[in-house]
């Protein structure tokens, strides 16, 4: 068996996520306390009680999701003796890359929380609300080639690119609102369904360059060491242990494509991974993994019983 830990991104957040972990395990509770202290914010109270629209704000959702993921990782180690080194690789979807790096001890938990708070704020500052949009192109015909053709049509009126290559049948485009609208028309002509996403900014496209610049400055002042487990990065869909390359790719990731489908194909075919464990809120990545690597097994680790069952299965 070869294992990879996966770490979810924005959209997986929900009121109450991680609460059962904090109630069951002191090690998980300590993670939320440390993140609250790092941000000087009652983030865990917001996670538990809402309101949902405040938790969904990018600057809150990003560090909150990371905190839940790290609560899983810390509890696995403290309560069940399962460390990150059990995995051959780690990978995270967009902000989940920071969770993966904190889990693999390349970043401290405090630095990861502060960076994600800044990342969320910087992304919101980069594009005024309503100026950009993102859309998911779904259905049997929705692949990267179709999405790129739709994005080219949208580019006639503004910035429009493929932002997330999630899996066959689920590709996301991002850019200026008018350009995305035009791309949606083209995608429908080509036989895909298109759904506008409820997001506050057009992530992973060139409109995010001001946010990338802010993150470059912040990351330049942040200590990053070699992760204990190789990170398969969003930008390259290949593994690395190089702190300087990780720093560079975290900046590029803000405007670049999340190559998730390619990452999981590499993990399954080249990395030899036959088991995926999604550490954190929801089970979006577990579903994607089943579609991309159907011969591998997947498990979402959300609740105390999930951690116990997972540890017992190793």
């Amino acid at each position: 068996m070869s294992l990879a830990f996966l770490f979810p991104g924005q959209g997986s957040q929900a009121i109450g996520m991680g609460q059962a972990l904090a109630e069951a395990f002191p090690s998980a509770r300590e993670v939320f306390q440390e993140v609250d202290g790092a941000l000087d914010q009652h983030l865990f109270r917001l996670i538990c009680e809402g309101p949902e629209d405040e938790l969904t704000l990018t600057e809150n959702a990003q560090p909150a999701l990371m905190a839940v993921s790290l609560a899983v990782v810390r509890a696995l180690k403290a309560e069940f003796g399962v460390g990150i080194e059990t995995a051959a690789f780690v990978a995270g979807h967009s902000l989940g890359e920071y969770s993966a790096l904190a889990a693999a001890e390349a970043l401290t938990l405090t630095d990861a929380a502060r960076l994600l708070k800044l990342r969320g704020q910087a992304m919101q500052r980069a594009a005024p609300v309503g100026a950009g949009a993102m859309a998911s192109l779904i259905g049997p015909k929705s692949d990267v080639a179709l999405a790129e053709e739709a994005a080219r049509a949208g580019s006639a009126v503004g910035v429009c690119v493929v932002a997330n290559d999630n899996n066959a049948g689920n590709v996301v485009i991002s850019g200026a609102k008018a350009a995305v609208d035009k791309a949606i028309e083209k995608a429908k002509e080509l036989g895909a369904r298109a759904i506008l996403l409820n997001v506050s900014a057009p992530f992973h496209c060139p409109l995010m360059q001001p946010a990338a610049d802010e993150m470059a400055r912040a990351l330049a002042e942040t200590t990053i060491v070699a992760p204990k487990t190789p990170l398969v990065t969003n930008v390259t869909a290949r593994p690395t242990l190089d702190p300087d390359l990780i720093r560079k790719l975290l900046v590029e990731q803000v405007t670049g494509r999340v190559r998730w489908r390619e990452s999981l194909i590499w993990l399954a075919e080249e990395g030899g991974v036959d088991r995926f464990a999604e550490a954190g809120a929801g089970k979006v990545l577990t579903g994607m993994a089943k579609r991309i690597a159907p011969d591998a097994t997947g498990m979402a680790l959300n609740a105390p019983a999930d951690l116990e069952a997972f540890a017992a299965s190793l």
Side-chain angles (χ1 to χ4, degrees), residues 22 104 119 121-122 174 211 291 304 307 313:
R119 186 176 182 267
Q121 292 170 334
S174 180
R291 288 187 286 274
L307 273 62
S313 73

Side-chain angles (χ1 to χ4, degrees), residues 135-137 146-147 149-157 160 173 177-196:
S136 183
L137 308 183
L146 181 148
E149 187 173 345
R152 279 194 296 274
S155 296
V157 296
C160 189
I173 57 172
K177 179 67 168 64
V180 170
D181 287 342
K182 190 171 183 65
I184 286 173
E185 292 176 15
K186 183 64 174 178
K188 288 178 178 177
E189 285 178 21
L190 295 170
R193 289 173 56 213
I195 300 172
L196 274 172

Side-chain angles (χ1 to χ4, degrees), residues 24-252:
F25 305 128
S27 52
R29 197 155 55 245
E30 288 166 7
V31 169
F32 293 112
Q33 291 168 349
E34 189 175 336
V35 171
D36 277 3
L39 301 180
D40 193 22
Q41 178 184 0
H42 295 298
L43 186 63
F44 186 54
R45 187 166 70 195
L46 177 61
I47 290 169
C48 294
E49 301 174 7
E52 188 172 6
D53 60 348
E54 192 173 335
L55 178 62
T56 303
L57 289 173
T58 302
E59 66 177 84
N60 292 326
Q62 295 200 24
L65 284 160
M66 184 277 299
V68 176
S69 288
L70 268 291
V72 170
V73 170
R74 294 272 183 93
L76 271 175
K77 178 69 171 178
E79 311 298 332
F80 303 103
V82 178
I84 198 72
E85 63 279 358
T86 308
F89 301 97
V90 295
H93 192 284
S94 192
L95 81 90
E97 202 152 79
Y98 287 80
S99 306
L101 288 166
E105 299 181 26
L107 281 173
T108 67
L109 178 61
T110 294
D111 281 343
R114 289 173 178 164
L115 286 167
L116 284 172
K117 183 79 173 178
L118 172 63
R119 186 176 182 267
Q121 292 170 334
M123 285 176 154
Q124 199 56 70
R125 282 192 289 266
V129 174
M134 299 182 76
S136 183
L137 308 183
I138 57 178
K141 293 186 177 180
S142 180
D143 58 14
V144 173
L146 181 148
E148 287 178 339
E149 187 173 345
R152 279 194 296 274
S155 296
V157 296
V159 171
C160 189
V161 299
V162 175
N164 295 21
D165 176 11
N166 288 327
N167 57 256
N170 180 355
V171 185
V172 176
I173 57 172
S174 180
K177 179 67 168 64
V180 170
D181 287 342
K182 190 171 183 65
I184 286 173
E185 292 176 15
K186 183 64 174 178
K188 288 178 178 177
E189 285 178 21
L190 295 170
R193 289 173 56 213
I195 300 172
L196 274 172
L197 300 181
N198 182 22
V199 293
S200 57
F203 306 133
H204 299 291
C205 84
L207 295 176
M208 290 290 105
Q209 188 58 49
D213 295 341
E214 283 197 59
M215 292 309 297
R217 291 190 290 271
L219 285 159
E221 299 173 356
T222 302
T223 298
I224 300 177
V225 300
K228 284 189 168 182
T229 304
L231 171 76
V232 175
T233 79
N234 288 183
V235 172
T236 66
R238 294 293 184 274
T240 185
L241 290 166
D242 181 348
D244 291 333
L245 180 59
I246 289 168
R247 193 189 314 273
K248 174 177 176 285
L249 294 177
L250 286 174
V251 176
E252 291 182 15

Side-chain angles (χ1 to χ4, degrees), residues 4-12 65 69 90-97 99-100 164-167 170 232 234 258-261 263-264 267 275-294 296-302:
F5 277 116
L6 308 179
F7 295 87
Q10 207 160 332
S12 290
L65 284 160
S69 288
V90 295
H93 192 284
S94 192
L95 81 90
E97 202 152 79
S99 306
N164 295 21
D165 176 11
N166 288 327
N167 57 256
N170 180 355
V232 175
N234 288 183
V258 176
R259 298 180 181 274
W260 193 251
R261 179 184 58 84
S263 295
L264 265 66
L267 282 165
R275 189 169 191 188
F276 295 99
E278 182 174 3
K283 52 186 179 182
V284 171
L285 301 185
T286 304
M288 289 183 190
K290 286 176 181 175
R291 288 187 286 274
I292 298 166
T297 60
M299 184 175 185
L301 308 181
N302 304 141

